[in-house]
Amino acid sequence: MVYGVGEYVQVETFRERALRLLREKAAREGKVKFSIKDIETDPLCPHIHLIKGSFKTVYSYIRAGGFYPATPNEDDLIRSLREFAKKYSRSPKTTDAAAGRLPYSKHMYEKRFGSWNAALKAAGLETRKVTGGRKKETVSPEEIEALVTELRELYGESGLLPTVAKHDAGNPPHSSSYLIKKLGDGKWRQVAVAADLLLASTILGHAA
């Protein structure tokens, strides 16, 4: 083909082609984070030595494409938090990292900055209120006494607390799950201890 005066062919530079191929790879795989091996083993990406010659390092190449390296530095972590905040109009939570809405795990941010809120602060984002967690339910002595009396009236004659299935099948005032929650600290065996009863399944030689 012969080009006229003033006509020219726009040639894609190596850097432009390399970045285009990386973006195509990201779209193809649905990823935003890449390791050196991801690039090195992909036949559709430029040869790794050519990448290093143009971008200095493979991770610089990944960052130039707008993506994240598998091993982040502090700037990568901060950028990811800021980009999340821009996209969702809020500070990220640790659950966002667990759900994959951030490129790195919660551990990565906390290891680098010391805590989740410290990472948010470093990114200039609003920190999250730290709570003491869910309070363990307390049971009053009166309630414990009433439940123990109930069990003694049901099973005191035999001195044996039946299995969970047999207890619930007898349509008692309170289900096994309720008693375990109030008296058993999560275990039916502890309900027997609280009511000073023996566990029937243990007497029968079965696992409790």
Side-chain angles (χ1 to χ4, degrees), residues 136-154:
K136 185 176 180 180
E137 182 180 357
T138 57
V139 185
S140 68
E142 293 77 16
E143 188 175 7
I144 292 175
E145 183 179 357
L147 292 173
V148 167
T149 299
E150 174 188 308
L151 288 170
R152 295 293 295 172
E153 289 176 352
L154 287 170

Side-chain angles (χ1 to χ4, degrees), residues 72 74 76-85 88 90-131:
E74 187 170 303
D76 295 320
L77 294 169
I78 288 175
R79 176 166 67 93
S80 68
L81 294 172
R82 287 174 176 170
E83 288 187 353
F84 178 97
Y88 293 99
R90 65 172 175 83
S91 291
K93 306 175 184 177
T94 56
T95 51
D96 292 312
R101 287 186 285 271
L102 287 165
Y104 304 109
S105 68
K106 168 179 173 284
H107 172 71
M108 281 279 196
Y109 297 95
E110 292 182 338
K111 181 180 179 181
R112 184 72 182 192
F113 297 99
S115 71
W116 187 258
N117 270 341
L120 295 179
K121 188 174 181 180
L125 302 176
E126 182 180 356
T127 55
R128 307 201 65 82
K129 184 178 180 181
V130 178
T131 62

Side-chain angles (χ1 to χ4, degrees), residues 14-193:
F14 172 78
R15 287 179 66 91
E16 291 170 340
R17 176 175 175 273
L19 293 174
R20 173 175 59 79
L21 291 173
L22 178 59
R23 290 171 185 135
E24 289 174 357
K25 175 180 174 66
R28 194 166 58 245
E29 299 178 3
K31 294 170 62 174
V32 297
K33 182 177 68 176
F34 298 100
S35 66
I36 293 175
K37 188 176 181 180
D38 288 332
I39 306 301
E40 190 174 25
T41 58
D42 190 336
L44 298 180
C45 285
H47 194 280
I48 197 165
H49 291 307
L50 296 175
I51 289 173
K52 289 180 178 178
S54 184
F55 294 90
K56 303 293 185 183
T57 69
V58 178
Y59 278 176
S60 294
Y61 166 56
I62 292 169
R63 292 183 182 107
F67 304 106
Y68 295 97
T71 303
N73 59 24
E74 187 170 303
D75 289 339
D76 295 320
L77 294 169
I78 288 175
R79 176 166 67 93
S80 68
L81 294 172
R82 287 174 176 170
E83 288 187 353
F84 178 97
K86 183 177 180 181
K87 180 177 180 180
Y88 293 99
S89 300
R90 65 172 175 83
S91 291
K93 306 175 184 177
T94 56
T95 51
D96 292 312
R101 287 186 285 271
L102 287 165
Y104 304 109
S105 68
K106 168 179 173 284
H107 172 71
M108 281 279 196
Y109 297 95
E110 292 182 338
K111 181 180 179 181
R112 184 72 182 192
F113 297 99
S115 71
W116 187 258
N117 270 341
L120 295 179
K121 188 174 181 180
L125 302 176
E126 182 180 356
T127 55
R128 307 201 65 82
K129 184 178 180 181
V130 178
T131 62
R134 186 176 179 180
K135 291 184 179 179
K136 185 176 180 180
E137 182 180 357
T138 57
V139 185
S140 68
E142 293 77 16
E143 188 175 7
I144 292 175
E145 183 179 357
L147 292 173
V148 167
T149 299
E150 174 188 308
L151 288 170
R152 295 293 295 172
E153 289 176 352
L154 287 170
Y155 307 118
E157 187 174 341
S158 68
L160 300 177
L161 181 68
T163 63
V164 165
K166 286 186 177 180
H167 173 80
D168 291 335
N171 194 28
H174 293 98
S175 68
S176 60
S177 60
Y178 182 87
L179 292 168
I180 288 172
K181 180 180 179 182
K182 296 292 184 178
L183 297 176
D185 194 26
K187 298 179 180 178
W188 188 238
R189 184 189 298 275
Q190 290 303 113
V191 174
V193 173

